[in-house]
Amino acid sequence: MRFGQVMLTVGVLVYGVPVTGRAAEPGPPSDAEARAWLAMPRGSVSLGKTSAGSLHAAAQLPPKGKGYQVLSHAVGRKTNYGTEELVAVIDRATRAVAEAFPGSKLGIGNLGFESGEKIPWSVSHQSGRDADLGMYARDEAGQPLEALPFVYYGEDGTAKLAGGKVVHFDVARNLALVTALVGDVEARVQYIFVAAWLKAKLLSEARRSGTSQTIIQRLEEVLHQPTDSNPHADHFHVRLFCTIEDRLHGCQNREPPRRWVDLGDAEHAARSRELARVFLLGRDALHVAALEKLAAIRGTTAMDAVVGELGHSAKKVRKAALATLVAWADPAAADKIVGLLPSIRDAAWASALFQAIPELDAASLVPLARKVATAPESVLHADVQKKAGVALQVAALKILKEHGGAAEVPLLVELAESRQKKVAAAAREALAWVTCQPAATRFAAWWPEHRGEDVVTWLRGGLAARKKKVPANLRTRAGVELLIPLVAAGDGGLRPCAGRALVAITGHEFDARLRSPARN
């Protein structure tokens, strides 16, 4: 049996979670090993995602190098910090261009702050792996221009400076730059964001000039125009993958991988198993630290071991184990928690576990909520039902409100007539949310007449009930134009309904609950 594939024994802990049996080998690590796995390494470390991360022991890109100059605005903002790997690859790539085209100097914009905190000018530059590099230009006489501030190149490859001077995208030098980046033996370049029309010029020049097919294939994958931001026609945005070492401390890559880059999956899985061995030391402080590190690195290889710690005798260890599972947001963790619920006798702990499940967004979430709302005895220990049954029914109805759909309406209509006032109120709130009707609707009378309708029809009726002017058919351009503002500024009940209706009408998948009103 591999480490991490735990077995449940017959014994049950005081908190009602089955005891986790562990394989005899490998045993606990030494204190020195445990502390080495938990400690940050020397040098820079990129932590978290590019748009929601931080930077440990940042490296500074000096204001000037052989092949580059950091632009004055970035120097003034102090945004010339990143990982050591990012700083080094910028220096190597621009140096390579300067050697091939003597005298070349590239203007460098934002990398990130020394701490890796959010910067208003470059949202994704938070963990030290992103940099904005200028583009090489030449004037109309063909003379190269150096360290030029960012200028926007149109589809013809020209741009105008502030004084009206026309400059040209220098295809040869820009190709040399991106070739150096994707061909760097030490860098792990995932993306070079650039406008599609400039990418086309670079690839055309690469084919014309005899660039190797391997490099051309890499450029085809790595050069990419973003779909959710500006096209990047005035600078290159370079993004690196996490180094393997940084992944072992919490750096998180985004999709997609590149077939020529080893992301360190084997090392990451091994470290996850090593951190789980720290549990065997029996020292609560190290135990919690190992769980926190597993949360940071998304060490799901150790999931069974972490689930086992939900029954630890120390409350802080149990809470850390649950926090780790929630941080992973892995549906498999929800399934395992659901499996434990019937054996948990402590009402407060059962409630904490149950209310964490929605954050894991498991496929089993709605069926579980239905059971707790209607037949709690099938999934909860009798002691828990007695002490917290109503509270958990209300929590289940909140899950059905957020994640349920038309299939849950008959059940909700029935519960809206419950003698338990809190249950009835929660059911009515869920019904208003799911059906798009005002909360004061008499759902027992409303449902028989409207049971065969879809969300778009429900929403139209809900808008009419709120005295809003609506077209006879929402499945039109006028209907869509009416719904879009509701997604951004509608009341709490209308916002998700408008979102669901827009998905049904346009086929464009999105979830209005996951973004701010302004972003919607």
Side-chain angles (χ1 to χ4, degrees):
M1 183 175 70
R2 296 197 307 273
F3 181 80
Q5 291 181 318
V6 297
M7 297 175 60
L8 300 180
T9 67
V10 176
V12 175
L13 293 177
V14 66
Y15 284 91
V17 180
V19 176
T20 302
R22 299 183 180 87
E25 294 294 338
S30 67
D31 271 15
E33 284 178 314
R35 295 185 186 282
W37 297 335
L38 294 168
M40 284 289 186
R42 292 182 179 179
S44 66
V45 183
S46 175
L47 297 170
K49 296 179 180 179
T50 56
S51 57
S54 59
L55 182 58
H56 173 79
Q60 183 182 32
L61 180 68
K64 292 184 180 180
K66 179 178 179 180
Y68 72 85
Q69 179 176 324
V70 179
L71 298 174
S72 59
H73 70 271
V75 173
R77 295 168 176 171
K78 297 183 179 179
T79 55
N80 54 323
Y81 290 86
T83 61
E84 293 164 342
E85 295 78 20
L86 182 66
V87 167
V89 76
I90 291 172
D91 181 68
R92 286 194 299 271
T94 55
R95 187 180 294 268
V97 177
E99 290 172 355
F101 299 88
S104 294
K105 277 197 179 294
L106 186 67
I108 307 296
N110 294 323
L111 279 66
F113 285 133
E114 185 173 6
S115 63
E117 64 193 83
K118 185 175 292 187
I119 63 176
W121 314 283
S122 302
V123 177
S124 64
H125 293 222
Q126 290 189 44
S127 57
R129 295 184 279 123
D130 291 71
D132 292 337
L133 310 187
M135 294 172 167
Y136 294 102
R138 54 183 175 81
D139 63 21
E140 291 197 275
Q143 295 301 307
L145 301 171
E146 309 308 338
L148 196 68
F150 295 176
V151 292
Y152 187 97
Y153 293 94
E155 295 192 14
D156 63 352
T158 65
K160 283 188 178 181
L161 302 185
K165 181 178 180 180
V166 175
V167 298
H168 297 263
F169 183 76
D170 192 329
V171 180
R173 288 197 293 170
N174 285 311
L175 175 61
L177 175 69
V178 296
T179 296
L181 289 167
V182 301
D184 193 289
V185 295
E186 296 180 42
R188 300 157 59 82
V189 177
Q190 181 185 26
Y191 275 123
I192 302 174
F193 296 114
V194 63
W197 57 91
L198 298 180
K199 172 182 178 177
K201 291 180 182 298
L202 291 167
L203 289 174
S204 178
E205 177 65 12
R207 296 184 186 103
R208 187 201 65 78
S209 61
T211 301
S212 75
Q213 190 58 34
T214 296
I215 293 296
I216 289 176
Q217 288 174 351
R218 290 188 185 186
L219 290 174
E220 287 174 338
E221 289 189 44
V222 170
L223 295 172
H224 175 70
Q225 178 175 313
T227 57
D228 60 353
S229 67
N230 75 70
H232 288 68
D234 62 346
H235 71 282
F236 296 109
H237 176 165
V238 178
R239 174 171 296 164
L240 302 187
F241 283 109
C242 301
T243 66
I244 293 175
E245 182 179 47
D246 286 5
R247 277 196 73 194
L248 304 185
H249 295 278
C251 191
Q252 295 179 27
N253 287 316
R254 292 179 178 271
E255 294 290 333
R258 304 295 180 202
R259 61 186 179 278
W260 61 88
V261 176
D262 176 11
L263 297 180
D265 290 344
E267 292 87 345
H268 183 265
R271 176 55 52 87
S272 299
R273 292 190 292 269
E274 289 170 342
L275 289 168
R277 287 173 55 204
V278 176
F279 303 168
L280 303 178
L281 289 172
R283 304 198 12 216
D284 290 355
L286 285 178
H287 205 140
V288 170
L291 285 164
E292 290 173 345
K293 181 70 79 169
L294 281 165
I297 72 171
R298 297 190 57 79
T300 55
T301 305
M303 182 178 292
D304 285 338
V306 173
V307 170
E309 301 314 305
L310 295 174
H312 196 277
S313 58
K315 183 177 181 180
K316 63 182 179 180
V317 173
R318 293 197 307 276
K319 290 179 68 176
L322 181 57
T324 297
L325 295 172
V326 169
W328 288 345
D330 188 324
D335 293 337
K336 292 178 183 293
I337 293 173
V338 170
L340 295 176
L341 279 173
S343 62
I344 298 175
R345 295 193 179 99
D346 181 86
W349 188 229
S351 296
L353 290 173
F354 179 72
Q355 295 187 57
I357 293 173
E359 300 183 58
L360 302 173
D361 200 24
S364 60
L365 183 59
V366 169
L368 172 67
R370 289 178 65 104
K371 288 181 179 179
V372 173
T374 58
E377 67 281 357
S378 66
V379 286
L380 299 173
H381 194 279
D383 293 349
V384 175
Q385 292 179 59
K386 183 176 180 180
K387 294 179 182 178
V390 171
L392 287 176
Q393 277 185 287
V394 170
L397 287 166
K398 288 181 178 178
I399 293 173
L400 294 179
K401 169 188 168 183
E402 291 291 337
H403 301 279
E408 279 64 57
V409 172
L411 176 153
L412 294 172
V413 169
E414 181 180 343
L415 290 174
E417 304 299 320
S418 172
R419 293 181 180 179
Q420 287 285 352
K421 292 183 178 180
K422 290 182 179 180
V423 172
R428 287 194 298 271
E429 183 180 337
L431 278 167
W433 190 273
V434 172
T435 67
C436 315
Q437 306 307 303
T441 302
R442 289 299 305 271
F443 287 102
W446 177 89
W447 177 237
E449 184 179 349
H450 298 276
R451 68 169 69 238
E453 297 172 351
D454 64 4
V455 67
V456 179
T457 307
W458 286 350
L459 175 58
R460 189 186 182 285
L463 290 170
R466 291 171 172 86
K467 309 300 183 185
K468 294 184 181 290
K469 292 182 179 180
V470 290
N473 184 2
L474 285 177
R475 298 179 185 274
T476 61
R477 181 184 183 90
V480 169
E481 289 177 348
L482 171 72
L483 294 177
I484 288 173
L486 294 179
V487 175
D491 66 42
L494 286 178
R495 185 177 300 158
C497 279
R500 295 198 303 273
L502 282 168
V503 172
I505 293 168
T506 68
H508 175 69
E509 292 288 342
F510 82 110
D511 189 334
R513 298 167 301 182
L514 301 181
R515 296 184 176 188
S516 68
R519 186 81 186 277
N520 278 326

